[in-house]
Amino acid sequence: MRRFLRPGHDPVRERLKRDLFQFNKTVEHGFPHQPSALGYSPFLHLMAIGTRSGAIKLYGAPGVEFMGLHEENNTVMQIHFIPDQCQLVTLLDDNSLHLWSLRQQSGASELREEHRFTLKGPPGSPPSATQITAVLPHSSREVLYLGTESGSIFVVELPSFRVREDRTITSEAVLQRLPEDSCNRRSCELVEALQEHPKNPDQILIGYSRGLIVLWDLQSSKATHHFLGSQQLENLYWQRDGSKFVSCHSDGSYTQWPVSSDNRQPEPLESLVPYGPFPCKAISKIYWQTTRNGLPYIIFQGGMPRASYGDRHSITVIHGSQQTAFDFTSRVIDFFITFSSEPAAEFEDPSALVVLAEEELVVIDLRTAGWPAVQPPYLASLHCSAITCSHHVSNIPLKLWERIISAGSKQNVHYSRMPWPIDGGTNVAPDPPQRDLLLTGHEDGTVRFWDASGVCLHLLYKLSTVRVFLTDADPNDNMNALGEDEWPPLRKVGTFDPYSDDPRLGIQKIYLCKYSGYLAVAGTAGQVLVMELNDEDAEHVVDHAEADLLQDQEGYRWKGHEKLKTRDGPVRFEAGFQPFVLIQCQPPAVVTSLALHSEWKLAAFGTSHGFGLFDHQQKRLVFVKCTLHPSDQLALEGPLSRVKSLKKSLRQSFRRIRRSRVSSRKRRGVSGNASEVQEANAKFDQDALQEMELAPVQRKIEARSAEDSFTGFVRTLYFADTFLRDSSRHCPSLWAGTNGGTVHAFCLRVPPAERRMDEPVRAEQAKEIQLMHRAPVVGILVLDGRGTPLPEPLEVAHDLSKSPDMQGSHQLLVVSEEQLKVFTLPKVSSKLKLKLTALEGCRVRKVTVANFGSCKTDDYSENNLAVLTNLGDIQIISLPLLKLQIRYPCIRKEDVSGIASCVFTKYGQGFYLISPSEFERFSLSTKWLVEPRCVVGAPEATSTNHVHSKSGLGSAARRS
Amino acid sequence: EFRRFSLERSKPGKFEEFYGLLQHVHKIPNVDVLVGYTDIHGDLLPINNDDNYHKAVSTANPLLRIFIQRKEDADYSAFGTDTMTRKKNVLSNVLRADNHKKKPHIVISMPQDFRPVSSIIDVDILPETHRRVRLYKYGTDKPLGFYIRDGSSVRVTPHGLEKVPGIFISRLVPGGLAQSTGLLAVNDEVLEVNGIEVSGKSLDQVTDMMIANSRNLIITVRPANQRNNVVRNSRTSGSSGQSTESSLPSSTPNILANSLQGEEESDEEDIIIEDNGEPQQIPKAAPTSESLESLTQMELLHESTQNGFLPSSEMNLNHSTGSISMEYEVQDADHKSLEEDGTIITL
């Protein structure tokens, strides 16, 4: 035992460890949590997203991405790229400005913060005097114009952020030459918008919130034009030629103004309330894009009739007679338009509308009739329905990969074929070493197949299990079906839909056999579906089998949810994975473990009541085993038991309080209503905190006993061909581990292939091991004669693994939450153990065997256990000697959902959720490392097109 | 009946052999008996293992008076300090059973008749303000029965007094093991769990460690009440033979060796049921190392010390005598006034 306490100091091993293990968090997949700002550089073709936690992320061509984090962790309010530069400026909610640069270093670009700056007013001035509301990076790249709440516009030099006080545009200067009646100080209250003249860099347009708009000449420091708007101003947009501009207003109207040298105080050309005549909500941003054919695109955010559609998050596109109000699933943060023309071209010719909503990114193709959506290659909304589980499969055979892609492409026909419009930068990362799939199970009963090979997590195919069941939702209820004369012409876009029809549909466990294409999926209401990949649509009946896990245990009543009702008769399934058999566990408790052996055609499943084995070739239940302890009332009654739910809800509410405390600290500096809410929140938090302090947290110290609840909960299932009964003959076996520290081993007799359909599969209980520490068993593994884990089913048949050594004696590794133990087989005697909890106070949450290759030589690799503990540490433990190799802190221990969501890959990488919508990817291996590596081209004022030609090649190569 | 026979003082042999010899001499081969002797102070002390047997033989001066009682009739109260002097004549006391009924005694049973539930260990290597308590949890009959909480304690550091977070016992469950030992109390600060310092660990971590070690839990506490601390007058009397005045951190390896060994003893008890047969303990595949065995011995030594059966005074050994004569007695008394009520006395 003591030898585990001292880490080995063998220098050879230490050197080898350095060649094998290395910890890196490489990239974040998915959609940023709580985005707060959007920026776009038409020059670099790069998009930037800022979040409430102070992160900024830059995206270009697929694979081109950068991330930066503001030290302050404050909300990013605005992002502005410096024209024609690899630089951008961010404004945070603490009124600080930050200059970021993309610099090339050893062949790849890096995003770095260069400077920070907070605007300071004269001593004694109110904070509002310098509170920045609008930022204009001037095309000269030398200065920033900063509009403030006080109405003054400050000028700072770049990159030094030196304030040029001599050039400050005060409201007094602006009001000169203005007619007396509109000349009061209040008209200059807050700078709402600043826009540079598209043709003349010496002129800038200043919009004040009260409605006054001024064209200011920088050379003469004088206002050349005054535009007297009567409505509260929201935003401004110049037309391409500089002859007109548009203003949009809080009453839902927009106004066109002419700019000419003869009229210094012109009247508006046109003023419209597009969704009038009833009161409308504000139009907060507007674009006026000119085209070759003369008909402009008018694109604006908001403006919906307040009473009937005030709750919609919409962006309207008007082009001639076409008008569509895109209706988003969540609040619109910001949007921009991409255009493919040269910056100096006469017309803008918009190509795509890019909208950042709170929960997803939506891109609309404006070139194709019908304005279809474009499928983003990154920034996927992982949480469009909440993720309930994930499963990773490494090294997918090409054949299966192509079939999944083909099934997925049939689902994506409604997407535009337009190439991804945001295509800046060049991806210089090597092609991913292998094809990896990440499968996520969702609350709405879907399983999503993601291409997790490279930096861009990309949706390949979506599988829905809902069709098998009868649900309350009417399948004919089509939200998009709108009548001809529907006004406003709303059209739903986006996939974010967090509301599940029926929580019982939720997916809990997934198991994919990459060699055979068999997939098993299990859900919340005890449903287990076995599926097969079919390249064509098909209509067939799903066979149905019931597995009564309580068997002869009498007198128990399940108080939890009912099982899902199934559809009678044949069901039509689209191409892809199609279920052919449904196994329904009784009672219909959550399926807690699942295993599939495609070679033997067996599926094993477990719940809190027991486990069963199903022969999916003969479609026959082989056996069930009840693991329930008679006193375990909680497991019997199901999740609706009052005792548990009360406890749980209390715990959750405390967690919520804690979380809201953290987030409320971040959300400062928002005016008006929000701050009141915050104040109330803060008060509530404080009260809750005090309450917690009054009753100190205490923990009961009690040994686990057989009577504890949920001891029968089946945590892990494992198939192995090993020596279970005697050392001369090996046989198929099924292993199950429970929450109470019990391991059940069943000896299986699978008929040979030629009689597979004729003879039944038989099973017999051969062993039962009770770990005296009674901790939940989270992993079971059999090591062959060489101490190597047994290969996966069909792996040897596909020549992808050496045959296991059946000469030497096999060993059984049982991983409980507290210890790892190795036993001999077939006679079970304990050989080795490694205690984690007793010595370190940590518990095993996830464990996987991973293969680590050396970065120095290609021919050396070894299998180790990767273990994630409840403290968020990752430990690598050697096999078969169970020696701790190395330990890395990975996830904060308070991040319970992050720890629960973690999945390891077979090659020493892993994923965990850092927010409901984002996976962090990490690597423990020196050899397998997927991280962005990209170059953003140096400024070339003339052309941008060739900058990104290479990246297109890169992404094409990855798909093949 | 009385028997007298001689024994080789320099080679007393093992207690087992001696026990067999007694049974043979008295022709009671299948009767369980308690063996006692009177030491030089006139106390009736038990002989039930090699150590106290050797002690008895070595202190015989030159006659060793041995008392034998049939186990089921045994009068445990007869043993202990001052038993002989107090009663003047233990023989008369033992023979006249009715004398005995007047005074209900606290009954102390023999070590092999009950198992230890708790002990204070490593007294010699810990600072006097600390107490290392071992709780033995057998099966599920009695709950460990205590709660821990977060708190703060004051430490002396190079920068003066500092408030540091600590883990404290917050509650004892009435009737639980922790309470019944009397060794742990509310507000005692927990410093170590099975040799591992808890500083820097969260409440949940310490909880998990304690539960993982619950079958053989060794907690080092700083008692809230410092008045009942063990006062050491002689360091050499320590059972583990350590006399280093080591501070807590530096003694950790030694502590680990002890506690881990204890663990090894107690929890290698996973059970296997083969082919629906009888449950059996899973054997160890690898042989136990020598060092573990020697540690086991030390552990036994501990326990006997704690139960007060080992005389602590240093004796002058008389090596000159080649053989010793002995007096002994087999008791046939018929009092059945004994009950094992589980009262346990610890230091």
Side-chain angles (χ1 to χ4, degrees), chain A residues 19 55 59 74 91 340 346 366 453 514 564 794 827 842 917:
Chain A
D19 295 345
Y59 296 89
N74 280 64
L91 170 67
S340 46
E346 202 177 332
L366 297 175
S453 324
K514 63 185 178 187
L564 286 159
L794 293 174
K827 168 109 185 69
C842 60
S917 57

Side-chain angles (χ1 to χ4, degrees), chain B residues 255-275:
Chain B
I255 296 154
L256 272 184
N258 266 350
S259 38
L260 287 176
Q261 175 272 326
E263 246 181 330
E264 209 71 31
E265 284 287 292
S266 64
D267 77 355
E268 204 59 59
E269 298 167 15
D270 296 340
I271 287 170
I272 174 114
I273 303 171
E274 302 257 4
D275 296 325

Side-chain angles (χ1 to χ4, degrees), chain B residues 13 37 46 79 128 158 204 263 278 299:
Chain B
Y37 75 103
F79 290 106
E128 288 178 12
D204 286 331
E263 246 181 330
E278 285 300 303
E299 210 55 52

Side-chain angles (χ1 to χ4, degrees), chain A residues 466 469-477 500-505 564-565 567:
Chain A
V466 181
F469 305 103
L470 272 175
T471 52
D472 298 336
D474 184 1
N476 299 323
D477 179 20
S500 169
D501 295 337
D502 189 336
R504 293 176 298 169
L505 290 168
L564 286 159
K565 287 198 186 71
R567 253 172 229 282

Side-chain angles (χ1 to χ4, degrees), chain A residues 48 65 82 93 334 351 432 447 457 606 676 687 700 758 763 789 834 941 957:
Chain A
E65 49 180 274
I82 311 296
D93 69 351
D334 202 352
S351 59
V447 178
L457 192 74
E676 274 166 45
D687 291 350
K700 188 178 186 181
D758 311 326
L834 174 60

Side-chain angles (χ1 to χ4, degrees), chain B residues 93 96-105 335-337:
Chain B
N93 178 34
R96 270 176 279 118
D98 40 316
N99 270 5
H100 193 70
K101 284 173 187 156
K102 292 168 191 167
K103 282 186 197 166
H105 285 266
H335 34 228
K336 309 231 172 196
S337 60

Side-chain angles (χ1 to χ4, degrees), chain A residues 11 80 98 125 137 148 196 245 321 331 557 615 638 785 852:
Chain A
H80 300 273
H98 302 252
S125 60
T148 62
E196 185 180 325
F245 69 87
S321 59
R331 193 166 61 88
R557 207 156 62 84
D615 172 0
F852 290 90

